Amino acid sequence: MQEKELIKRQIIKKIKTAGDILITSHIMPDGDNIGSLCGLTTALKLSGYKVDCALFDAVPDILKFLPGSSEIKKLGEINKKYDLLIVLDSSSVDRTGVTDLSKYSDFVINIDHHVCNDNFGNINLLHTNYSATAQIVFELIKKARLKFNPEIATCLYCGLMTDTVGFQTSNTDENVFKMASYLVKYGANPNHISREMFQNKSMKNIIMIGKTLSALNFIDNGLICWGKVDQKTIKEVGALPTDCFGIVNQMVSIKGVEVAILFNEKADGKTIVDFRSKSFIDVNKIANAFGGGGHMRASGATIEGNLTDIISEVVNFSVEHIKTNYHTGLMKGTNNIESHGSGKQKGSKTNTVVKSVGI
Amino acid sequence: MQEKELIKRQIIKKIKTAGDILITSHIMPDGDNIGSLCGLTTALKLSGYKVDCALFDAVPDILKFLPGSSEIKKLGEINKKYDLLIVLDSSSVDRTGVTDLSKYSDFVINIDHHVCNDNFGNINLLHTNYSATAQIVFELIKKARLKFNPEIATCLYCGLMTDTVGFQTSNTDENVFKMASYLVKYGANPNHISREMFQNKSMKNIIMIGKTLSALNFIDNGLICWGKVDQKTIKEVGALPTDCFGIVNQMVSIKGVEVAILFNEKADGKTIVDFRSKSFIDVNKIANAFGGGGHMRASGATIEGNLTDIISEVVNFSVEHIKTNYHTGLMKGTNNIESHGSGKQKGSKTNTVVKSVGI
């Protein structure tokens, strides 16, 4: 802890001496990513620093309510060099969407909570036991005595809530709730933030959830549950890729289901396979076998080929893998909702590769 | 507040002088109800008091993980009289499932957070601004310096999480999170409790959710969304009444939907109509028109008649009611997930009456 405090002091010193600062985070932005980004940017700006923030991807619609999110630039459009670059919530350089950060600054501060972070910064502040990067940003804001307001509280609350999956993950500890209490006291509105995040599903998303859930398949007395979203249904509904979110999480919420597998057939002939597990099976190992990756409880792979063949191969492999590696009747009762930050970040350009099967 | 502290002192004095105590709560038990009941019972037992607890209804499967819940007796089987009866989380006597409490004790302590509580006790401790009765029980346990353990923390956490709908309601304030932090510090496990509560859905529940969501109807540009669960589908799936939970909440989570209406046809020819609203329409008023009741954001009515006629009448009435009473384009943006305790308790035997329509 002493060492971390020293690193925080170095970071604050670096920020104070920088003429201008750029802050960025990872591709495929989520609540912790944008919440931490906007929270830190606003706190620094309010305190008189010259700061820009930018992301490789655009802000998803669902996160546009976050104060400050409209000022996030596109990383690809940044053509100047800053005194300091702060990278948040990203385990490696490639997670930012670019391969070389020296285009943006010669000095990089790396702030993250993922255990797989590879220390790519000139200064690395890694709290791998924290549930969200928003917690580290919060501590930094307090330690640097930066100004604070309800907008910053809203951003950091969003980060905390997102990465604990609504205060449900295994690393939701007393400090998470202590921070939430503080943020609410200083202006974060849990009701408003929950509404923006969870009550804005598209009509077609709900219809796709409905169609998939009403045609699920159960194997091994319901130990494995699999479902599919095929191009025929997608075209019938007129659904976008974002309309297929949230399905696999509902599948794994079924009593007795340990592994949920969703096959999402894309227009380009590839199928994204999403794996979830409830308490004891490491689905990362199953995803690995198909060239994918992720966490113990949430992984994915992109596979090329005929949908029926892919389903058959993945389901059969999963059944065999479980049979070989687990005494399924004996090993229940450990973690359920895996904590974010506890494994390799999913969706990285390098860890989800395309593999052909069925050929 | 001074007055409430005085009442708490009176309650503690009464508990300390009682030879034996019975604790009960309301019918159709939920997480706050059983969490508060088991939490207080265990704390009193640990501290050496002679306590029984009983409910009118059985403990739902989903709440059987709560420590102490297996010791809850059936209220109808209690044949002795106690020195003291404590009624938790119930706005009126009839909510306990019985009409006369004097069979159980001549002295009643009424502890609740519902604004509609009618002060039926000899002592009434009402914190109507609290999100859960578990908060009041927690304060009482601390003030009385009763013993505390991880089992009690688990029960109270379950109450707090249930009545804030996972920390999302409008009364989720800094004190809610402060209490959650304390409970986690003393042994409540948010991950475990979330798994027990939210990851134990029946296979048939998920299939009923799927079938209903894939055939929704939208009116007024999606301002109203309605769906149905008919006897034909129920029989096809072999679903139990409990397999129809959670559907209407997914319907109201759709972007732009302000009112969600679910028609649930029962085997006895009656249809339970569930209403939800998102931010500005008071669905209690719509439910009232059909002899039902509840909260502004969550209400219900039981209607007798032909399903098609009922759907037509309720949907038409809702459209007209909204047209007459709201400038729908202008009034958005207030509360979303209504706080528990803020209105008349739903499901009371007296406020959900049967009304025939379509005749």
Side-chain angles (χ1 to χ4, degrees), chain B residues 246-267:
Chain B
I247 300 174
V248 71
N249 291 331
Q250 297 215 37
M251 290 161 60
V252 82
S253 76
I254 299 170
K255 189 173 182 173
V257 168
E258 172 58 29
V259 175
I261 312 172
L262 180 68
F263 298 90
N264 191 346
E265 188 185 30
K266 312 309 283 183

Side-chain angles (χ1 to χ4, degrees), chain A residues 261 263 275 286 289-290 303-304 306-320 355-359:
Chain A
I261 312 172
F263 297 90
F275 300 92
I286 301 177
F290 294 93
I303 308 177
E304 212 165 315
N306 172 279
L307 180 62
T308 312
D309 293 339
I310 292 172
I311 290 173
S312 163
E313 182 156 347
V314 171
V315 170
N316 287 337
F317 178 87
S318 303
V319 170
E320 283 307 313
K355 186 189 170 188
S356 296
V357 297
I359 300 168

Side-chain angles (χ1 to χ4, degrees), chain A residues 124-241:
Chain A
N124 302 286
L125 178 58
L126 309 176
H127 275 289
T128 54
N129 58 331
Y130 281 21
S131 67
T133 293
Q135 282 185 283
I136 315 174
V137 169
F138 178 61
E139 286 183 357
L140 212 51
I141 288 173
K142 282 206 296 186
K143 196 170 177 72
R145 298 187 182 185
L146 298 179
K147 288 187 177 164
F148 201 79
N149 67 14
E151 285 70 35
I152 302 167
T154 298
C155 290
L156 298 183
Y157 183 93
C158 175
L160 196 64
M161 188 183 69
T162 303
D163 261 18
T164 56
V165 192
F167 306 103
Q168 294 185 66
T169 52
S170 56
N171 56 8
T172 305
D173 59 15
E174 58 170 301
N175 293 322
V176 166
F177 285 116
K178 212 177 271 175
M179 175 171 155
S181 178
Y182 185 97
L183 296 176
V184 171
K185 184 175 177 181
Y186 286 94
N189 181 332
N191 181 240
H192 169 70
I193 298 167
S194 301
R195 178 173 48 194
E196 294 289 348
M197 302 281 293
F198 304 132
Q199 307 255 316
N200 267 321
K201 289 180 185 141
S202 73
M203 236 180 237
K204 288 174 180 173
N205 182 209
I206 289 289
I207 293 167
M208 289 307 295
I209 290 172
K211 285 188 179 283
T212 313
L213 295 187
S214 57
L216 293 177
N217 305 272
F218 297 93
I219 294 171
D220 269 357
N221 290 320
L223 190 79
I224 299 175
C225 166
W226 71 265
K228 66 170 178 178
V229 168
D230 57 24
Q231 275 296 308
K232 186 172 166 283
T233 313
I234 287 171
K235 280 175 188 157
E236 267 169 24
V237 175
L240 297 170

Side-chain angles (χ1 to χ4, degrees), chain B residues 37-52:
Chain B
L37 187 77
C38 293
L40 183 57
T41 303
T42 306
L44 286 170
K45 275 186 182 170
L46 270 183
S47 304
Y49 294 94
K50 211 176 155 201
V51 193
D52 280 332

Side-chain angles (χ1 to χ4, degrees), chain B residues 226-232 262-266 269-273 303-314 357:
Chain B
W226 71 266
K228 66 172 177 176
V229 169
D230 55 24
Q231 274 297 308
K232 186 173 164 283
L262 180 68
F263 298 90
N264 191 346
E265 188 185 30
K266 312 309 283 183
K270 291 169 190 164
T271 291
I272 294 178
V273 191
I303 308 177
E304 210 164 319
N306 171 281
L307 180 63
T308 311
D309 292 340
I310 292 171
I311 290 173
S312 164
E313 182 157 346
V314 171
V357 296

